[in-house]
């Protein structure tokens, strides 16, 4: 099983930027569509964005225009560029294969995630 390790989180002021990375131990092409998720305290885990093997991207409404997901298949790494961050972006961010059905999140293997805190 390919292991995924997230990094790049931290404390950032509202309006600031952060770049998250997700390094895979194996080929992300073999996984296919990759995604970023987040889970805020007391809330359910939610999909933030996904990118297909061919580079097609999709975002949830609340981050569209502010976040950019990308992937480097040669480096087996997925990125999430976060711009104009807001306090409501505060969460632990995880990467994983794109899981279409939220009910299936509980059955998936998750890494440790990376904490993003947006605060002044």
């Amino acid at each position: 099983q390919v292991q995924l390790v997230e990094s790049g989180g931290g404390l950032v002021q509202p309006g600031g930027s952060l770049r998250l990375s997700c390094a895979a131990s194996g080929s992300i092409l073999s996984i296919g569509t990759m995604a970023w998720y987040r889970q805020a305290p007391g809330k359910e885990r939610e999909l933030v964005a996904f990118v297909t093997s061919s580079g097609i991207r999709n975002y949830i409404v609340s981050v569209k225009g502010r976040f950019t997901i990308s992937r480097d298949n040669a480096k087996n790494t997925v990125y999430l560029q976060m711009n104009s961050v807001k306090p409501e972006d505060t969460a632990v961010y995880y990467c994983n294969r794109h899981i279409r059905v939220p009910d299936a999140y509980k059955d998936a293997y998750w890494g440790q995630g990376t904490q993003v805190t947006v605060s002044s």
Side-chain angles (χ1 to χ4, degrees):
Q1 183 173 347
V2 175
Q3 304 297 313
L4 302 169
V5 179
E6 303 92 345
S7 63
L11 175 63
V12 58
Q13 292 187 343
S17 297
L18 214 54
R19 189 195 197 201
L20 307 183
S21 298
C22 170
S25 62
S27 170
I28 59 174
L29 278 175
S30 70
I31 296 175
T33 300
M34 295 294 297
W36 282 95
Y37 304 79
R38 66 186 180 187
Q39 186 165 20
K43 293 190 176 182
E44 298 288 320
R45 195 186 312 254
E46 66 171 349
L47 174 70
V48 175
F50 67 79
V51 57
T52 69
S53 299
S54 59
I56 297 172
R57 309 167 187 177
N58 206 350
Y59 304 88
I60 57 173
V61 171
S62 60
V63 308
K64 194 171 290 187
R66 301 188 297 120
F67 291 8
T68 301
I69 188 171
S70 61
R71 60 191 290 162
D72 186 330
N73 294 326
K75 294 183 178 179
N76 292 314
T77 303
V78 184
Y79 304 97
L80 185 69
Q81 178 67 43
M82 306 170 62
N83 297 330
S84 302
V85 296
K86 303 176 181 180
E88 51 263 42
D89 295 322
T90 295
V92 179
Y93 284 71
Y94 304 86
C95 71
N96 211 328
R97 61 182 175 84
H98 181 216
I99 304 169
R100 295 178 177 272
V101 180
D103 279 351
Y105 292 175
K106 64 183 184 302
D107 299 319
Y109 172 80
W110 298 92
Q112 83 286 355
T114 187
Q115 174 72 49
V116 172
T117 303
V118 183
S119 175
S120 55

